[in-house]
């Protein structure tokens, strides 16, 4: 009997607690009538494509922020969203970087994961890979329906370039054979999708290439503001004037110097360089020097060269090295690509220079009519580099400027970013009833300060921060989820929708070994 009363008491207690339990009514996912998301189209660059770890591969494509955003749209009645995913036998794309461990001192060990041969249709001199892979390729075409037009490497200045699919294999694979052969421009292709809603995150590459190459004009340049404004406004106007009169969300451009590609190597290194009185960096554009000075010097004096050793005669002029002494302050940045050589500073070596010369010889092999080796170019009488001097601490063996963004170059990159963002904002202001501005620059600033998602601390630190992938520029799955939330916040506020937020904690950061 006592047990019976106890059971009744426990039952009534449980009922009482249940009756008192607060009920939280989550908003019902809805567009609020302000937008139509039945046909959502994403236009953008590598960030929108899901590029990560210095490569485009299947896993990254599957968690690109437009894909995640479309999943949330679906909860509010959105239509199907198709992405140009690699097939399972093409899953590794053109390859990517992978973390396999750490050294005894805690430095990451990062290796290259080879790509999938089945992703490549052919190799050709007509195409170039805009993100650093060594071979020019044509990728296997994607033939299915597509809503994600994120194209790695594309710049605003490329949006209406006829034949851009020949030059950029990531765009070329999105075209059918007729579009490919007739050279259909990117802007024309995306306008034909007739979206009901679109996002646009373009412009990063118009300054990023200049910055990541250390302000090296032979490897990257800043798009002129007039060209940027003309093409950016044109593509947005054409999207808005397409058949379904869509609404859209436009993201601005983060300060490129605030990503791990620029913030990982420099802080400790600059302290040591300043303490050692290092002569800063070298303003010596190696690509130009190789083509315009070094090779002509060698080739133009063939009668005076030893035909076996290619030793130049004493009358050869030596290229003048011009180390520029500057303060190692917060406006000077080292690129992440300098990490393998940072430990060589102060040593009598020219490993960094040899790596650069090796890459240049490979790049310009078709222009060199006689066999030339790295050793030929590294001789002091040819290059002016003295590898017996302490690297980075002597003017005769300075740090190549391709690894350093100096104060003037940093100012150029930041000024361009500010100007591009003003153009993007003015575009939104012109169509204030149809567009919302997503402050990606503000998002990155918050990430640098540190954010917490679902109890997980994240920040913009390399590897440990969880937001940026192994290339120090592009996002991890967790970073993509956080970016999708920034779009959702802006869209809901602007258009009165209740698109559900993403559970960021479901997505991984950098994959640890």
């Amino acid at each position: 009997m006592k047990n019976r009363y106890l059971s009744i008491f426990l039952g009534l207690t449980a009922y009482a607690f249940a009756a008192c339990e607060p009920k939280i009514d989550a908003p019902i996912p809805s567009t609020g009538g302000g937008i139509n998301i039945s046909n959502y189209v994403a236009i953008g660059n590598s960030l929108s494509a899901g590029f990560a770890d210095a490569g485009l591969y299947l896993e990254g494509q599957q968690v690109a922020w437009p894909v995640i955003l479309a999943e949330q749209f679906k909860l509010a009645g959105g239509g199907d969203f198709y992405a140009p995913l690699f097939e399972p036998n093409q899953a590794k794309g053109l390859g990517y970087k992978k973390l396999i461990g750490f050294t005894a001192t805690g430095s990451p060990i990062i290796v290259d994961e080879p790509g999938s041969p089945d992703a490549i249709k052919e190799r050709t001199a007509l195409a170039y890979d805009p993100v650093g892979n060594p071979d020019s390729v044509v990728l296997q075409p994607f033939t299915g329906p597509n809503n994600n037009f994120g194209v790695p490497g594309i710049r605003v200045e490329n949006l209406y370039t006829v034949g851009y699919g020949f030059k950029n294999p990531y765009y070329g694979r999105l075209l059918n054979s007729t579009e490919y052969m007739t050279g259909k421009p990117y802007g024309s292709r995306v306008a034909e999708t007739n979206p009901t809603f679109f996002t646009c995150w373009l412009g990063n590459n118009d300054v990023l290439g200049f910055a990541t190459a250390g302000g090296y004009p032979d490897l990257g340049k800043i798009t002129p503001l007039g060209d940027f404004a003309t093409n950016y406004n044109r593509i947005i106007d054409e999207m808005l004037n397409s058949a379904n009169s869509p609404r859209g969300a436009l993201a601005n451009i983060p300060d490129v110097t605030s990503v791990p590609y620029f913030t990982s190597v420099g802080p400790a290194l600059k302290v040591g360089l300043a303490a050692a009185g290092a002569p800063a960096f070298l303003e010596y554009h190696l690509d130009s020097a190789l083509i315009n000075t070094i090779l002509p010097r060698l080739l133009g004096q063939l009668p005076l060269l030893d035909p076996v050793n290619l030793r130049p005669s004493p009358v050869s002029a030596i290229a003048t090295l011009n180390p520029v002494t500057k303060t190692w302050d917060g406006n000077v940045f080292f690129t992440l690509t300098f990490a393998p050589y940072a430990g060589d500073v102060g040593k009598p070596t020219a490993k960094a220079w040899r790596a650069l010369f090796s890459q240049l010889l490979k790049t310009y092999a078709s222009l060199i009519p006689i066999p030339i080796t790295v050793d030929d170019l590294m001789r002091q009488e040819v290059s002016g580099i003295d590898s017996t001097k302490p690297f980075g601490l002597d003017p005769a063996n300075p740090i190549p400027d391709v690894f350093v963004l100096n104060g003037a170059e940093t100012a150029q990159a930041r000024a361009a970013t500010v100007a591009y963002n003003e153009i993007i904002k003015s575009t939104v202001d012109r169509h204030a009833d149809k567009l919302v501005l997503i402050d990606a620059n503000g998002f990155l600033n918050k990430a640098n300060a540190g954010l917490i998602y679902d109890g997980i601390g994240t920040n913009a630190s390399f590897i440990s921060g969880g937001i940026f992938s192994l290339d120090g520029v592009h996002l991890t799955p967790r970073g993509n989820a956080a970016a999708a939330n920034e779009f959702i916040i802006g869209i809901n506020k602007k258009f009165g929708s209740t698109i559900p937020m993403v559970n960021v904690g479901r997505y991984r950061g950098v994959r640890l070994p």
Side-chain angles (χ1 to χ4, degrees):
M1 181 67 70
K2 184 182 293 185
N3 288 340
R4 180 183 171 204
Y5 288 141
L6 179 61
S7 297
I8 294 173
F9 172 76
L10 291 176
L12 291 172
T13 302
Y15 174 80
F17 275 113
C20 296
E21 184 178 348
K23 296 183 181 297
I24 300 175
D25 294 323
I28 299 173
S30 167
T31 63
I35 53 175
N36 178 348
I37 52 177
S38 60
N39 183 28
Y40 160 48
V41 172
I43 58 179
N45 51 41
S46 50
L47 290 167
S48 300
F51 193 97
D53 304 317
L56 185 67
Y57 59 104
L58 180 58
E59 184 194 0
Q61 291 177 310
Q62 291 171 326
V63 290
W65 68 263
V67 174
I68 297 174
L69 178 60
E71 291 172 353
Q72 303 306 108
F73 278 176
K74 191 82 170 178
L75 299 175
D80 292 329
F81 184 86
Y82 301 96
L85 304 180
F86 286 120
E87 297 294 335
N89 63 325
Q90 306 167 350
K92 295 182 179 180
L94 285 176
Y96 53 91
K97 294 189 179 297
K98 181 171 67 173
L99 178 68
I100 62 170
F102 297 87
T103 66
T105 59
S107 297
I109 303 172
I110 298 173
V111 300
D112 290 320
E113 180 73 14
S116 300
D118 288 336
I120 297 173
K121 181 179 180 181
E122 61 184 86
R123 300 187 183 277
T124 171
L126 296 177
Y128 73 95
D129 186 333
V131 287
N133 290 296
D135 297 308
S136 298
V137 299
V138 172
L139 297 179
Q140 292 287 357
F142 176 78
T143 58
N146 181 33
N147 292 74
N148 189 355
F149 284 85
V151 172
I154 195 167
R155 299 157 60 95
V156 170
E157 71 170 352
N158 303 136
L159 296 181
Y160 293 94
T161 299
V162 176
Y164 187 63
F166 291 120
K167 298 179 179 180
N168 186 329
Y170 297 107
Y171 176 51
R173 73 181 287 259
L174 305 183
L175 301 175
N176 62 39
S177 58
T178 300
E179 293 168 336
Y180 184 80
M181 295 307 298
T182 57
K184 181 179 284 293
Y186 177 91
S188 302
R189 177 65 186 87
V190 296
E192 293 174 352
T193 59
N194 293 324
T196 59
F197 191 89
F198 70 95
T199 56
C200 176
W201 197 358
L202 284 167
N204 308 66
N205 290 335
D206 292 82
V207 64
L208 184 65
F210 169 84
T212 55
Y216 218 51
D218 297 308
L219 301 179
K221 65 185 181 69
I222 294 175
T223 298
L225 296 185
D227 295 343
F228 187 98
T230 297
N231 282 359
Y232 192 90
N233 280 285
R234 179 179 173 183
I235 195 170
I236 300 304
D237 287 347
E238 290 185 359
M239 295 296 283
L240 291 175
N241 292 329
S242 58
N244 292 316
S245 299
R247 301 295 184 263
L250 314 186
N252 62 15
I253 305 168
D255 176 1
V256 295
T257 61
S258 62
V259 300
Y261 188 91
F262 292 105
T263 60
S264 301
V265 176
L269 180 59
K270 286 190 290 187
V271 173
L273 287 168
F281 37 81
L282 183 64
E283 293 298 331
Y284 183 72
H285 295 155
L286 196 52
D287 285 36
S288 297
L290 181 71
I291 296 300
N292 299 323
T293 305
I294 296 176
L295 288 181
R297 179 185 308 139
L298 288 173
L299 301 176
Q301 297 188 33
L302 287 178
L304 302 177
L305 296 178
D306 178 331
V308 176
N309 298 314
L310 292 175
R311 187 174 301 280
S313 72
V315 298
S316 295
I318 303 301
T320 301
L321 299 179
N322 184 27
V324 180
T325 302
K326 291 184 181 295
T327 303
W328 295 105
D329 59 18
N331 293 316
V332 175
F333 295 89
F334 282 92
T335 66
L336 189 60
T337 50
F338 187 63
Y341 314 109
D344 293 335
V345 172
K347 300 177 182 178
T349 179
K351 186 169 70 175
W353 287 103
R354 295 186 68 89
L356 286 177
F357 276 121
S358 177
Q359 182 60 45
L360 288 170
L361 284 178
K362 182 175 183 180
T363 301
Y364 295 108
S366 62
L367 301 178
I368 304 174
I370 61 174
I372 294 177
T373 67
V374 172
D375 287 333
D376 296 325
L377 297 179
M378 277 302 304
R379 287 200 304 271
Q380 186 179 357
E381 64 267 27
V382 174
S383 67
I385 306 298
D386 186 352
S387 60
T388 66
K389 303 296 184 181
F391 176 58
L393 301 183
D394 191 285
N397 191 12
I399 296 170
D401 70 335
V402 70
F403 297 122
V404 185
L405 199 65
N406 66 38
E409 293 160 346
T410 297
Q412 283 181 267
R414 288 175 171 169
T417 300
V418 170
Y420 293 161
N421 282 343
E422 282 299 317
I423 293 169
I424 295 170
K425 182 179 182 301
S426 68
T427 304
V428 173
D429 290 343
R430 282 196 304 114
H431 304 284
D433 59 328
K434 299 178 181 179
L435 298 174
V436 59
L437 179 66
I438 307 301
D439 188 10
N441 190 31
F443 162 63
L444 185 56
N445 290 335
K446 290 187 293 185
N448 276 309
L451 295 167
I452 296 178
Y453 294 107
D454 307 313
I456 301 173
T458 61
N459 57 58
S461 298
F462 187 53
I463 297 181
S464 63
I467 290 180
F468 286 94
S469 70
L470 293 174
D471 57 33
V473 173
H474 299 91
L475 302 174
T476 61
R478 186 175 300 158
N480 278 311
N485 270 349
E486 293 299 309
F487 277 84
I488 291 171
I489 291 170
I491 291 168
N492 283 347
K493 183 177 181 180
K494 173 70 176 182
F495 298 109
S497 53
T498 52
I499 310 299
M501 297 285 283
V502 180
N503 182 348
V504 177
R506 290 176 45 213
Y507 296 85
R508 69 167 178 84
V510 169
R511 189 187 299 280
L512 299 175

